[in-house]
Amino acid sequence: MKIKAIYLIQEAGCLNPQSGAFQHISVGYRQLSKAFDMTAFFNNQSINLNGYKTNESLPKNSDKIKRAKKRGVLYGTIKDLQLIFQYVLNIPKLYKALKANGINFIYERTAYINFSGLIVAKLLAIPHFYEANGIQYKAKQKYYKSLLSPLIKRIEKWMYKRSSHTFFVGSYGFYWQIKSDNWTNIENGVESELLEFFKTRKKKISKPINLCFIARLMAHQKPDLLIEALQNLKHPQDIVLHLIGSGLESIEEKLKDKIKVVNHGFQNRETIKHILKDMHIGIIAGSPEFQSTMKIFDYGVSKCAVIAPNITNLKYWFNDELIFFDGTANDLADKICKLKNDAYVLNRSGKKLHNKVRQQFTWDKIYGNVVKRMNKVLEQRTS
C-alpha cells in the first residue's frame, strides 16, 4: 500500500498551463505518484491537475518584452504585511483540510513567504519537502520595494532549513549556502517519448544551418545580445534563425533584413519536436546565474549543438557537452561561425549533449533520485 501524501501548490501562477512551473509540477506530480499516493492541493482545496490543459496556440504577444510597473516602498511593505497575516490565518484551514486526508507527508512547491504548509507539517508531526525554483524574495523585488525584504530573506532561508528536505531546481542551493545536509540541487528533464523519437534520428548537416531560439521572451534571456551577435555574423546567408515561443516578434523585426528568420510562434510540445528534428544549433543567449534552463534539454534530446553562457548553473551540470561563450555578442557570433563552418564539431557536440541528457536528465532519473532521498527521510522518521 502506497504512502499517502499531498502535493501542495500555493501560487496561482504555477497553474498557468503555458508556464515552465506548471510543466515541472505536472511532470513531478505524475512521477511522485508512481511511488506515493499523491493528491494535488491548491491552498486548502484538492484539485485535478489533469484539468489544466496547455492551449494549442496563443495570440501573439506584444513585440516588446513586458516589464511590470514597480510599486513603491509603502505599497510593498503593506502588501508584505498583508501576505504574512493572510498566511497565518490560512494555517488552521490548511491544517483541517490536510489532517482530514490522513497524509504521511507534504511535498510543496515554494511560494513567496508562504510558510503555512511547513507549519502545518510541524503541527501534524509529518515530514515536509520543498521544491524551490528561484529566489522568491528577489523575484518579488521586480514588482515592489519593501522595508521587510531583509526579514523576508531570512524567513525564506529559515523555511528551507526547517523543511525535512528541500529540492532546489537548478543550483539555488549554492546561493543559500545552507550548512545542513537537508537540501539537494535537481534539474529539469525530458520525456521518455522525446528520447524515443530522437533516438535513431540523424542530423542532416548542410547549409543553410538552422539556428533555434526557444523562449517565452523575458529580459534575462538577453534578446538584444542575440540580435547584436547575429547582425555581426559573416556570411549570414549560411544560416536560418528559427524562433519558437511567444513575444519574439521584436527579434524577427530587427533581423529580417540581415538573415532569414522563421517565427513559428507558440507551439505545443508535439509540434516543437517535429521542428527540432531539423535544427542544428540551439542558442541560449542569457539566463540567471542559478536558474534551470529548460530549453537546453529540448535542444539536447534533439541532438542540437548548444551555445550557452558560462553561468554557474550550466557549468555545474555540464562540461564539454556545451559550447560556452563569455557573455558578449562578439564571442557568441564567433562561436556560431565556428560551429556552422565545421560539420564534424557540430555533429559531435550534438551527439555528446544528447548522450548526457539521455543518461542523466530524464524525468524518470531525476524523480527517481528525488524519491530515494525522500524515502531516506521517511525511513528515519519511522525507525
Side-chain angles (χ1 to χ4, degrees):
M1 189 173 179
K2 291 182 178 179
I3 295 173
K4 290 188 67 175
I6 293 294
Y7 194 121
L8 182 60
I9 304 160
Q10 304 219 63
E11 192 172 42
C14 290
L15 295 177
N16 174 4
Q18 281 78 49
S19 69
F22 180 80
Q23 182 184 344
H24 195 106
I25 287 168
S26 56
V27 170
Y29 180 79
R30 289 197 300 271
Q31 289 288 335
L32 292 175
S33 294
K34 295 177 182 179
F36 308 110
D37 181 5
M38 303 295 296
T39 302
F41 263 62
F42 176 60
N43 294 330
N44 53 14
Q45 299 290 326
S46 63
I47 59 171
N48 178 13
L49 283 177
N50 294 326
Y52 296 83
K53 301 294 182 183
T54 302
N55 292 339
E56 293 295 310
S57 61
L58 290 173
K60 285 190 175 182
N61 287 2
S62 166
D63 63 355
K64 296 181 180 179
I65 299 172
K66 292 184 177 180
R67 292 180 174 86
K69 183 179 179 181
K70 194 167 182 176
R71 308 294 293 269
V73 67
L74 178 61
Y75 169 88
T77 303
I78 293 173
K79 180 69 173 178
D80 281 343
L81 286 170
Q82 288 176 333
L83 287 174
I84 293 171
F85 186 63
Q86 174 186 329
Y87 298 150
V88 170
L89 289 179
N90 186 55
I91 289 172
K93 296 178 183 177
L94 187 60
Y95 174 83
K96 182 179 179 180
L98 298 191
K99 185 178 182 181
N101 278 265
I103 59 173
N104 299 101
F105 69 83
I106 297 171
Y107 189 93
E108 180 176 2
R109 175 81 175 198
T110 309
Y112 177 67
I113 205 176
N114 195 333
F115 45 77
S116 58
L118 177 62
I119 299 299
V120 167
K122 300 298 182 185
L123 293 173
L124 292 172
I126 59 174
H128 176 279
F129 302 94
Y130 272 129
E131 182 179 284
N133 193 347
I135 304 169
Q136 303 298 324
Y137 85 94
K138 277 195 172 184
K140 194 60 69 173
Q141 289 174 353
K142 293 186 296 184
Y143 302 101
Y144 58 73
K145 296 179 180 179
S146 171
L147 293 174
L148 298 181
S149 288
L151 172 63
I152 290 170
K153 178 182 178 180
R154 294 190 187 95
I155 292 174
E156 186 172 349
K157 186 173 183 178
W158 171 84
M159 289 162 59
Y160 301 143
K161 289 173 67 175
R162 297 302 299 167
S163 182
S164 303
H165 201 87
T166 298
F167 299 96
F168 291 103
V169 182
S171 54
Y172 287 106
F174 296 146
Y175 172 83
W176 289 107
Q177 297 182 343
I178 298 171
K179 294 180 180 179
S180 57
D181 63 352
N182 72 322
W183 62 272
T184 307
N185 288 323
I186 64 171
E187 256 296 358
N188 283 288
V190 296
E191 304 92 325
S192 57
E193 296 82 2
L194 270 181
L195 282 171
E196 288 306 308
F197 181 79
F198 288 106
K199 184 177 181 179
T200 58
R201 291 178 181 270
K202 295 182 179 180
K203 290 285 183 185
K204 296 179 181 179
I205 300 177
S206 60
K207 292 185 178 178
I209 297 297
N210 290 319
L211 272 64
C212 184
F213 183 73
I214 302 175
R216 187 182 181 193
L217 199 60
M218 299 180 190
H220 67 249
Q221 294 159 342
K222 298 188 177 179
D224 292 340
L225 187 147
L226 173 64
I227 291 166
E228 183 182 349
L230 294 177
Q231 287 175 335
N232 293 339
L233 276 185
K234 296 177 181 178
H235 308 295
Q237 69 276 8
D238 289 347
I239 68 167
V240 177
L241 175 64
H242 292 259
L243 303 172
I244 305 174
S246 53
L248 303 174
E249 292 75 28
S250 60
I251 298 176
E252 178 185 14
E253 184 64 27
K254 291 177 181 178
L255 288 173
K256 66 181 182 180
D257 294 331
K258 178 71 175 180
I259 63 175
K260 183 177 179 181
V261 180
V262 179
N263 188 353
H264 298 271
F266 176 86
Q267 300 292 337
N268 62 24
R269 303 281 296 161
E270 179 66 22
T271 303
I272 287 175
K273 77 178 184 183
H274 288 284
I275 298 173
L276 285 175
K277 67 181 174 61
D278 297 318
M279 298 298 105
H280 302 111
I281 301 173
I283 302 290
I284 299 171
S287 182
E289 196 68 28
F290 303 99
Q291 181 172 298
S292 173
T293 307
M294 291 185 69
K295 59 191 171 187
I296 202 167
F297 303 106
D298 289 336
Y299 293 153
V301 75
S302 65
K303 301 180 182 177
C304 286
V306 172
I307 304 173
N310 56 352
I311 60 172
T312 298
N313 187 62
L314 295 180
K315 296 287 283 188
Y316 174 66
W317 295 106
F318 299 96
N319 296 303
D320 60 349
E321 300 90 4
L322 299 181
I323 309 298
F324 288 106
F325 77 101
D326 66 8
T328 67
N330 285 339
D331 196 39
L332 176 56
D334 183 59
K335 294 298 192 294
I336 293 172
C337 283
K338 287 180 178 178
L339 274 181
K340 76 181 180 68
N341 292 328
D342 193 329
Y344 172 76
V345 173
L346 178 57
N347 185 55
R348 183 188 64 186
S349 298
K351 285 183 177 178
K352 188 174 289 188
L353 180 57
H354 173 85
N355 290 335
K356 177 83 172 235
V357 170
R358 174 177 288 277
Q359 291 165 11
Q360 296 187 23
F361 298 106
T362 66
W363 289 120
D364 287 343
K365 180 78 172 179
I366 290 163
Y367 276 98
N369 291 333
V370 168
V371 169
K372 285 180 184 177
R373 191 65 186 83
M374 292 169 67
N375 277 331
K376 285 184 179 180
V377 174
L378 295 171
E379 288 167 5
Q380 290 169 359
R381 294 291 291 260
T382 56
S383 62

